Amino acid sequence: DTAVSQTPKYLVTQMGNDKSIKCEQNLGHDTMYWYKQDSKKFLKIMFSYNNKELIINETVPNRFSPKSPDKAHLNLHINSLELGDSAVYFCASSQDLRAYEQYFGPGTRLTVT
Amino acid sequence: GESVGLHLPTLSVQEGDNSIINCAYSNSASDYFIWYKQESGKGPQFIIDIRSNMDKRQGQRVTVLLNKTVKHLSLQIAATQPGDSAVYFCAEIPLRSNDYKLSFGAGTTVTVRA
């Protein structure tokens, strides 16, 4: 069983569209994250949620909106996609806020054309 | 093979040799450090961690060394295997901080030559 799963794995879309990426973890963890990895492999945190509560909200355009319907799911919705949004987006989870061993999903490669 | 700092992003090592991946961290308040491995097409995977009250920690074929004086962290991989080819990230955090954010380094790409 996959611990942290994301869908879709690949997403190709045009500028201006709205898209969502879904994430689910079956580890029973309290904390979930979204990271963005650019073409140089630099990993930057975007958001974190703990028990459905937003904890970290980095300087991310408000076109990005996370939503956590329950503590096993953290989805990412992106409005008005731009070329610069092209990247790999990783979902991750950890046991709680202070458990820094994070379990990452396989990533969603977003390409905006 | 050995890499130096966060700005030498690649390391080529002969299979069977030992690898040393280096990481210079910037936040003197950081007291917890993690190494992650990211294989091609996959998400990062936890390898080993170390707290600042230690200067060495060993795992299976891996050893992490911490030098707080010069703010330097290294990951040593013994008898490097083809499956060790990946990007390796160091990450740091001050455990007393209330921002709960791991800061990741730029990553070192390790390529194992047969």
Side-chain angles (χ1 to χ4, degrees):
Chain A
D1 261 354
T2 305
V4 182
S5 59
Q6 294 178 231
T7 53
K9 187 159 176 66
Y10 300 97
L11 188 51
V12 181
T13 189
Q14 293 184 325
M15 283 174 55
N17 284 348
D18 303 339
K19 290 293 179 185
S20 292
I21 308 171
K22 295 187 175 182
C23 177
E24 177 181 3
Q25 54 96 1
N26 62 9
L27 297 166
H29 287 170
D30 286 347
T31 308
M32 296 185 73
Y33 311 82
W34 277 110
Y35 284 87
K36 179 180 181 180
Q37 186 172 51
D38 63 22
S39 58
K40 296 183 180 176
K41 299 288 188 182
F42 187 66
L43 260 176
K44 183 166 172 56
I45 191 161
M46 300 172 70
F47 303 102
S48 80
Y49 272 72
N50 187 61
N51 278 320
K52 303 196 298 174
E53 180 188 352
L54 179 65
I55 302 297
I56 296 173
N57 185 354
E58 283 294 271
T59 308
V60 175
N62 58 16
R63 298 181 294 104
F64 290 79
S65 53
K67 185 168 281 189
S68 182
D70 55 60
K71 73 174 195 177
H73 295 85
L74 180 61
N75 304 322
L76 183 65
H77 188 76
I78 316 170
N79 288 327
S80 304
L81 278 154
E82 300 178 358
L83 292 176
D85 297 332
S86 295
V88 181
Y89 292 84
F90 287 101
C91 177
S93 72
S94 64
Q95 191 164 1
D96 55 51
L97 268 180
R98 293 216 175 268
Y100 297 108
E101 180 178 347
Q102 296 179 8
Y103 293 76
F104 284 78
T108 296
R109 181 174 292 277
L110 172 66
T111 304
V112 183
T113 61
Chain B
E2 183 171 348
S3 74
V4 177
L6 293 172
H7 301 291
L8 204 139
T10 63
L11 174 67
S12 180
V13 60
Q14 185 71 36
E15 182 178 357
D17 286 354
N18 296 333
S19 303
I20 300 175
I21 306 163
N22 294 301
C23 179
Y25 63 94
S26 55
N27 187 352
S28 56
S30 290
D31 52 5
Y32 180 65
F33 306 87
I34 302 180
W35 281 98
Y36 281 88
K37 172 187 180 183
Q38 185 179 16
E39 297 176 54
S40 180
K42 296 184 179 179
Q45 181 181 19
F46 174 91
I47 302 174
I48 191 168
D49 59 359
I50 189 168
R51 292 181 182 247
S52 60
N53 60 353
M54 304 171 72
D55 52 21
K56 180 179 179 178
R57 189 162 189 221
Q58 287 186 289
Q60 189 177 8
R61 277 200 312 119
V62 295
T63 300
V64 57
L65 299 177
L66 175 63
N67 185 330
K68 296 178 289 293
T69 304
V70 295
K71 293 190 285 188
H72 184 267
L73 192 67
S74 69
L75 179 71
Q76 300 179 2
I77 305 173
T80 310
Q81 301 170 359
D84 296 326
S85 292
V87 179
Y88 290 81
F89 296 95
C90 62
E92 59 177 299
I93 188 164
L95 288 174
R96 287 178 295 277
S97 79
N98 288 324
D99 61 10
Y100 309 112
K101 286 183 296 187
L102 275 175
S103 295
F104 282 83
T108 297
T109 301
V110 173
T111 303
V112 180
R113 306 188 306 271

